[in-house]
PDB file of all heavy atoms in Angstrom:
ATOM      1  N   LEU A1475     -52.714 129.722 116.512  1.00  0.00           N
ATOM      2  CA  LEU A1475     -51.934 130.768 117.187  1.00  0.00           C
ATOM      3  C   LEU A1475     -50.637 131.040 116.492  1.00  0.00           C
ATOM      4  O   LEU A1475     -50.237 132.205 116.314  1.00  0.00           O
ATOM      5  CB  LEU A1475     -51.655 130.351 118.657  1.00  0.00           C
ATOM      6  CG  LEU A1475     -52.820 130.439 119.660  1.00  0.00           C
ATOM      7  CD1 LEU A1475     -52.428 129.939 121.035  1.00  0.00           C
ATOM      8  CD2 LEU A1475     -53.321 131.905 119.751  1.00  0.00           C
ATOM      9  N   ALA A1476     -49.926 129.924 116.077  1.00  0.00           N
ATOM     10  CA  ALA A1476     -48.656 130.053 115.410  1.00  0.00           C
ATOM     11  C   ALA A1476     -48.853 130.833 114.047  1.00  0.00           C
ATOM     12  O   ALA A1476     -48.035 131.649 113.671  1.00  0.00           O
ATOM     13  CB  ALA A1476     -48.006 128.704 115.171  1.00  0.00           C
ATOM     14  N   THR A1477     -49.904 130.471 113.339  1.00  0.00           N
ATOM     15  CA  THR A1477     -50.189 131.145 112.072  1.00  0.00           C
ATOM     16  C   THR A1477     -50.475 132.635 112.250  1.00  0.00           C
ATOM     17  O   THR A1477     -49.956 133.470 111.488  1.00  0.00           O
ATOM     18  CB  THR A1477     -51.341 130.490 111.341  1.00  0.00           C
ATOM     19  OG1 THR A1477     -51.104 129.083 111.187  1.00  0.00           O
ATOM     20  CG2 THR A1477     -51.630 131.100 110.014  1.00  0.00           C
ATOM     21  N   ALA A1478     -51.249 132.926 113.261  1.00  0.00           N
ATOM     22  CA  ALA A1478     -51.545 134.337 113.540  1.00  0.00           C
ATOM     23  C   ALA A1478     -50.309 135.120 113.899  1.00  0.00           C
ATOM     24  O   ALA A1478     -50.085 136.258 113.451  1.00  0.00           O
ATOM     25  CB  ALA A1478     -52.586 134.458 114.673  1.00  0.00           C
ATOM     26  N   ALA A1479     -49.421 134.458 114.673  1.00  0.00           N
ATOM     27  CA  ALA A1479     -48.156 135.149 115.065  1.00  0.00           C
ATOM     28  C   ALA A1479     -47.268 135.329 113.878  1.00  0.00           C
ATOM     29  O   ALA A1479     -46.632 136.378 113.709  1.00  0.00           O
ATOM     30  CB  ALA A1479     -47.473 134.265 116.136  1.00  0.00           C
ATOM     31  N   TRP A1480     -47.240 134.326 112.940  1.00  0.00           N
ATOM     32  CA  TRP A1480     -46.345 134.387 111.798  1.00  0.00           C
ATOM     33  C   TRP A1480     -46.770 135.551 110.896  1.00  0.00           C
ATOM     34  O   TRP A1480     -45.936 136.308 110.423  1.00  0.00           O
ATOM     35  CB  TRP A1480     -46.395 133.066 111.044  1.00  0.00           C
ATOM     36  CG  TRP A1480     -45.619 133.107 109.755  1.00  0.00           C
ATOM     37  CD1 TRP A1480     -46.135 133.249 108.506  1.00  0.00           C
ATOM     38  CD2 TRP A1480     -44.206 133.089 109.600  1.00  0.00           C
ATOM     39  NE1 TRP A1480     -45.137 133.283 107.602  1.00  0.00           N
ATOM     40  CE2 TRP A1480     -43.947 133.190 108.230  1.00  0.00           C
ATOM     41  CE3 TRP A1480     -43.137 132.961 110.460  1.00  0.00           C
ATOM     42  CZ2 TRP A1480     -42.655 133.176 107.716  1.00  0.00           C
ATOM     43  CZ3 TRP A1480     -41.844 132.935 109.967  1.00  0.00           C
ATOM     44  CH2 TRP A1480     -41.620 133.042 108.624  1.00  0.00           C
ATOM     45  N   PHE A1481     -48.057 135.681 110.648  1.00  0.00           N
ATOM     46  CA  PHE A1481     -48.537 136.704 109.697  1.00  0.00           C
ATOM     47  C   PHE A1481     -48.621 138.076 110.350  1.00  0.00           C
ATOM     48  O   PHE A1481     -48.584 139.094 109.711  1.00  0.00           O
ATOM     49  CB  PHE A1481     -49.880 136.285 109.093  1.00  0.00           C
ATOM     50  CG  PHE A1481     -49.792 135.204 108.048  1.00  0.00           C
ATOM     51  CD1 PHE A1481     -50.086 133.884 108.409  1.00  0.00           C
ATOM     52  CD2 PHE A1481     -49.356 135.512 106.792  1.00  0.00           C
ATOM     53  CE1 PHE A1481     -49.979 132.917 107.472  1.00  0.00           C
ATOM     54  CE2 PHE A1481     -49.238 134.503 105.843  1.00  0.00           C
ATOM     55  CZ  PHE A1481     -49.569 133.164 106.151  1.00  0.00           C
ATOM     56  N   GLY A1482     -48.770 138.075 111.712  1.00  0.00           N
ATOM     57  CA  GLY A1482     -48.837 139.351 112.332  1.00  0.00           C
ATOM     58  C   GLY A1482     -47.514 139.953 112.719  1.00  0.00           C
ATOM     59  O   GLY A1482     -47.391 141.169 112.766  1.00  0.00           O
ATOM     60  N   ALA A1483     -46.520 139.082 112.943  1.00  0.00           N
ATOM     61  CA  ALA A1483     -45.223 139.541 113.364  1.00  0.00           C
ATOM     62  C   ALA A1483     -44.568 140.542 112.376  1.00  0.00           C
ATOM     63  O   ALA A1483     -44.066 141.610 112.816  1.00  0.00           O
ATOM     64  CB  ALA A1483     -44.297 138.382 113.647  1.00  0.00           C
ATOM     65  N   PRO A1484     -44.536 140.257 111.080  1.00  0.00           N
ATOM     66  CA  PRO A1484     -43.858 141.211 110.147  1.00  0.00           C
ATOM     67  C   PRO A1484     -44.463 142.637 110.273  1.00  0.00           C
ATOM     68  O   PRO A1484     -43.683 143.570 110.153  1.00  0.00           O
ATOM     69  CB  PRO A1484     -44.134 140.579 108.785  1.00  0.00           C
ATOM     70  CG  PRO A1484     -44.281 139.131 109.052  1.00  0.00           C
ATOM     71  CD  PRO A1484     -45.001 139.040 110.396  1.00  0.00           C
ATOM     72  N   ARG A1485     -45.746 142.760 110.433  1.00  0.00           N
ATOM     73  CA  ARG A1485     -46.354 144.063 110.527  1.00  0.00           C
ATOM     74  C   ARG A1485     -45.829 144.806 111.734  1.00  0.00           C
ATOM     75  O   ARG A1485     -45.608 146.031 111.706  1.00  0.00           O
ATOM     76  CB  ARG A1485     -47.888 144.004 110.588  1.00  0.00           C
ATOM     77  CG  ARG A1485     -48.489 143.578 109.242  1.00  0.00           C
ATOM     78  CD  ARG A1485     -49.986 143.840 109.268  1.00  0.00           C
ATOM     79  NE  ARG A1485     -50.683 142.993 110.206  1.00  0.00           N
ATOM     80  CZ  ARG A1485     -51.175 141.783 109.912  1.00  0.00           C
ATOM     81  NH1 ARG A1485     -51.009 141.278 108.681  1.00  0.00           N
ATOM     82  NH2 ARG A1485     -51.771 141.052 110.829  1.00  0.00           N
ATOM     83  N   LEU A1486     -45.613 144.062 112.827  1.00  0.00           N
ATOM     84  CA  LEU A1486     -45.063 144.715 114.033  1.00  0.00           C
ATOM     85  C   LEU A1486     -43.600 145.005 113.888  1.00  0.00           C
ATOM     86  O   LEU A1486     -43.110 146.074 114.287  1.00  0.00           O
ATOM     87  CB  LEU A1486     -45.296 143.779 115.269  1.00  0.00           C
ATOM     88  CG  LEU A1486     -46.754 143.465 115.581  1.00  0.00           C
ATOM     89  CD1 LEU A1486     -46.842 142.415 116.691  1.00  0.00           C
ATOM     90  CD2 LEU A1486     -47.488 144.767 116.015  1.00  0.00           C
ATOM     91  N   LEU A1487     -42.874 144.054 113.328  1.00  0.00           N
ATOM     92  CA  LEU A1487     -41.414 144.239 113.172  1.00  0.00           C
ATOM     93  C   LEU A1487     -41.020 145.342 112.227  1.00  0.00           C
ATOM     94  O   LEU A1487     -39.941 145.924 112.316  1.00  0.00           O
ATOM     95  CB  LEU A1487     -40.785 142.924 112.724  1.00  0.00           C
ATOM     96  CG  LEU A1487     -40.942 141.725 113.706  1.00  0.00           C
ATOM     97  CD1 LEU A1487     -40.375 140.445 113.128  1.00  0.00           C
ATOM     98  CD2 LEU A1487     -40.272 142.075 115.071  1.00  0.00           C
ATOM     99  N   ARG A1488     -41.908 145.666 111.220  1.00  0.00           N
ATOM    100  CA  ARG A1488     -41.595 146.729 110.315  1.00  0.00           C
ATOM    101  C   ARG A1488     -41.516 148.085 111.009  1.00  0.00           C
ATOM    102  O   ARG A1488     -40.923 149.033 110.451  1.00  0.00           O
ATOM    103  CB  ARG A1488     -42.682 146.820 109.220  1.00  0.00           C
ATOM    104  CG  ARG A1488     -42.635 145.711 108.226  1.00  0.00           C
ATOM    105  CD  ARG A1488     -43.590 145.991 107.051  1.00  0.00           C
ATOM    106  NE  ARG A1488     -43.831 144.771 106.326  1.00  0.00           N
ATOM    107  CZ  ARG A1488     -44.979 144.089 106.267  1.00  0.00           C
ATOM    108  NH1 ARG A1488     -46.047 144.547 106.974  1.00  0.00           N
ATOM    109  NH2 ARG A1488     -45.102 143.008 105.588  1.00  0.00           N
ATOM    110  N   LYS A1489     -42.067 148.180 112.196  1.00  0.00           N
ATOM    111  CA  LYS A1489     -42.073 149.435 112.927  1.00  0.00           C
ATOM    112  C   LYS A1489     -40.799 149.622 113.785  1.00  0.00           C
ATOM    113  O   LYS A1489     -40.579 150.693 114.321  1.00  0.00           O
ATOM    114  CB  LYS A1489     -43.291 149.492 113.831  1.00  0.00           C
ATOM    115  CG  LYS A1489     -44.629 149.471 113.064  1.00  0.00           C
ATOM    116  CD  LYS A1489     -45.781 149.475 114.005  1.00  0.00           C
ATOM    117  CE  LYS A1489     -47.147 149.400 113.237  1.00  0.00           C
ATOM    118  NZ  LYS A1489     -48.290 149.372 114.180  1.00  0.00           N
ATOM    119  N   LEU A1490     -39.997 148.566 113.850  1.00  0.00           N
ATOM    120  CA  LEU A1490     -38.818 148.598 114.699  1.00  0.00           C
ATOM    121  C   LEU A1490     -37.570 149.074 113.877  1.00  0.00           C
ATOM    122  O   LEU A1490     -37.240 148.464 112.848  1.00  0.00           O
ATOM    123  CB  LEU A1490     -38.503 147.234 115.331  1.00  0.00           C
ATOM    124  CG  LEU A1490     -39.628 146.668 116.197  1.00  0.00           C
ATOM    125  CD1 LEU A1490     -39.204 145.282 116.714  1.00  0.00           C
ATOM    126  CD2 LEU A1490     -39.947 147.599 117.353  1.00  0.00           C
ATOM    127  N   ASP A1491     -36.909 150.093 114.407  1.00  0.00           N
ATOM    128  CA  ASP A1491     -35.727 150.601 113.694  1.00  0.00           C
ATOM    129  C   ASP A1491     -34.581 149.565 113.685  1.00  0.00           C
ATOM    130  O   ASP A1491     -33.695 149.614 112.826  1.00  0.00           O
ATOM    131  CB  ASP A1491     -35.224 151.911 114.376  1.00  0.00           C
ATOM    132  CG  ASP A1491     -34.154 152.572 113.595  1.00  0.00           C
ATOM    133  OD1 ASP A1491     -34.488 153.013 112.465  1.00  0.00           O
ATOM    134  OD2 ASP A1491     -33.015 152.649 114.064  1.00  0.00           O
ATOM    135  N   PHE A1492     -34.632 148.641 114.629  1.00  0.00           N
ATOM    136  CA  PHE A1492     -33.633 147.592 114.704  1.00  0.00           C
ATOM    137  C   PHE A1492     -33.483 146.796 113.410  1.00  0.00           C
ATOM    138  O   PHE A1492     -32.429 146.287 113.069  1.00  0.00           O
ATOM    139  CB  PHE A1492     -33.928 146.693 115.897  1.00  0.00           C
ATOM    140  CG  PHE A1492     -32.939 145.555 116.073  1.00  0.00           C
ATOM    141  CD1 PHE A1492     -31.639 145.837 116.554  1.00  0.00           C
ATOM    142  CD2 PHE A1492     -33.278 144.209 115.819  1.00  0.00           C
ATOM    143  CE1 PHE A1492     -30.735 144.781 116.744  1.00  0.00           C
ATOM    144  CE2 PHE A1492     -32.346 143.219 115.974  1.00  0.00           C
ATOM    145  CZ  PHE A1492     -31.057 143.489 116.467  1.00  0.00           C
ATOM    146  N   PHE A1493     -34.644 146.650 112.660  1.00  0.00           N
ATOM    147  CA  PHE A1493     -34.654 145.873 111.445  1.00  0.00           C
ATOM    148  C   PHE A1493     -34.607 146.744 110.164  1.00  0.00           C
ATOM    149  O   PHE A1493     -34.888 146.235 109.080  1.00  0.00           O
ATOM    150  CB  PHE A1493     -35.914 144.987 111.418  1.00  0.00           C
ATOM    151  CG  PHE A1493     -35.902 143.957 112.485  1.00  0.00           C
ATOM    152  CD1 PHE A1493     -36.756 144.093 113.582  1.00  0.00           C
ATOM    153  CD2 PHE A1493     -35.043 142.848 112.455  1.00  0.00           C
ATOM    154  CE1 PHE A1493     -36.783 143.128 114.612  1.00  0.00           C
ATOM    155  CE2 PHE A1493     -35.075 141.915 113.476  1.00  0.00           C
ATOM    156  CZ  PHE A1493     -35.923 142.034 114.507  1.00  0.00           C
ATOM    157  N   ARG A1494     -34.179 147.958 110.336  1.00  0.00           N
ATOM    158  CA  ARG A1494     -33.986 148.846 109.174  1.00  0.00           C
ATOM    159  C   ARG A1494     -32.827 148.340 108.365  1.00  0.00           C
ATOM    160  O   ARG A1494     -31.800 147.907 108.909  1.00  0.00           O
ATOM    161  CB  ARG A1494     -33.742 150.295 109.588  1.00  0.00           C
ATOM    162  CG  ARG A1494     -33.557 151.255 108.448  1.00  0.00           C
ATOM    163  CD  ARG A1494     -33.511 152.697 108.993  1.00  0.00           C
ATOM    164  NE  ARG A1494     -32.482 152.894 109.961  1.00  0.00           N
ATOM    165  CZ  ARG A1494     -31.187 153.152 109.657  1.00  0.00           C
ATOM    166  NH1 ARG A1494     -30.795 153.221 108.415  1.00  0.00           N
ATOM    167  NH2 ARG A1494     -30.336 153.338 110.659  1.00  0.00           N
ATOM    168  N   VAL A1495     -32.909 148.372 107.030  1.00  0.00           N
ATOM    169  CA  VAL A1495     -31.855 147.891 106.152  1.00  0.00           C
ATOM    170  C   VAL A1495     -30.640 148.849 106.252  1.00  0.00           C
ATOM    171  O   VAL A1495     -30.763 150.066 105.933  1.00  0.00           O
ATOM    172  CB  VAL A1495     -32.301 147.804 104.685  1.00  0.00           C
ATOM    173  CG1 VAL A1495     -31.154 147.508 103.736  1.00  0.00           C
ATOM    174  CG2 VAL A1495     -33.386 146.774 104.556  1.00  0.00           C
ATOM    175  N   ARG A1496     -29.543 148.277 106.662  1.00  0.00           N
ATOM    176  CA  ARG A1496     -28.285 149.075 106.768  1.00  0.00           C
ATOM    177  C   ARG A1496     -27.234 148.585 105.796  1.00  0.00           C
ATOM    178  O   ARG A1496     -26.241 149.278 105.603  1.00  0.00           O
ATOM    179  CB  ARG A1496     -27.732 148.925 108.229  1.00  0.00           C
ATOM    180  CG  ARG A1496     -28.675 149.508 109.282  1.00  0.00           C
ATOM    181  CD  ARG A1496     -28.088 149.206 110.671  1.00  0.00           C
ATOM    182  NE  ARG A1496     -28.882 149.871 111.708  1.00  0.00           N
ATOM    183  CZ  ARG A1496     -30.011 149.314 112.169  1.00  0.00           C
ATOM    184  NH1 ARG A1496     -30.480 148.197 111.726  1.00  0.00           N
ATOM    185  NH2 ARG A1496     -30.694 149.969 113.136  1.00  0.00           N
ATOM    186  N   ARG A1497     -27.489 147.451 105.193  1.00  0.00           N
ATOM    187  CA  ARG A1497     -26.439 146.904 104.312  1.00  0.00           C
ATOM    188  C   ARG A1497     -27.142 146.106 103.171  1.00  0.00           C
ATOM    189  O   ARG A1497     -28.113 145.376 103.418  1.00  0.00           O
ATOM    190  CB  ARG A1497     -25.516 145.967 105.099  1.00  0.00           C
ATOM    191  CG  ARG A1497     -24.400 145.344 104.286  1.00  0.00           C
ATOM    192  CD  ARG A1497     -23.415 144.682 105.243  1.00  0.00           C
ATOM    193  NE  ARG A1497     -22.251 144.079 104.565  1.00  0.00           N
ATOM    194  CZ  ARG A1497     -22.201 142.797 104.175  1.00  0.00           C
ATOM    195  NH1 ARG A1497     -23.181 141.988 104.487  1.00  0.00           N
ATOM    196  NH2 ARG A1497     -21.161 142.368 103.533  1.00  0.00           N
ATOM    197  N   VAL A1498     -26.604 146.269 101.949  1.00  0.00           N
ATOM    198  CA  VAL A1498     -27.087 145.485 100.796  1.00  0.00           C
ATOM    199  C   VAL A1498     -25.909 144.692 100.311  1.00  0.00           C
ATOM    200  O   VAL A1498     -24.872 145.217  99.891  1.00  0.00           O
ATOM    201  CB  VAL A1498     -27.652 146.415  99.719  1.00  0.00           C
ATOM    202  CG1 VAL A1498     -28.020 145.559  98.474  1.00  0.00           C
ATOM    203  CG2 VAL A1498     -28.799 147.255 100.165  1.00  0.00           C
ATOM    204  N   GLU A1499     -26.047 143.377 100.329  1.00  0.00           N
ATOM    205  CA  GLU A1499     -25.003 142.470  99.913  1.00  0.00           C
ATOM    206  C   GLU A1499     -25.306 141.993  98.503  1.00  0.00           C
ATOM    207  O   GLU A1499     -26.332 141.420  98.199  1.00  0.00           O
ATOM    208  CB  GLU A1499     -24.963 141.246 100.870  1.00  0.00           C
ATOM    209  CG  GLU A1499     -23.854 140.290 100.590  1.00  0.00           C
ATOM    210  CD  GLU A1499     -23.925 139.133 101.615  1.00  0.00           C
ATOM    211  OE1 GLU A1499     -23.666 139.428 102.830  1.00  0.00           O
ATOM    212  OE2 GLU A1499     -24.235 137.985 101.217  1.00  0.00           O
TER     213      GLU A1499
END
Side-chain angles (χ1 to χ4, degrees):
L1475 285 177
T1477 302
W1480 174 259
F1481 285 101
R1485 288 195 294 271
L1486 297 174
L1487 296 176
R1488 287 189 197 112
K1489 299 177 182 180
L1490 299 180
D1491 190 64
F1492 181 70
F1493 295 107
R1494 180 172 57 84
V1495 173
R1496 296 175 176 82
R1497 182 169 181 264
V1498 177
E1499 182 179 295

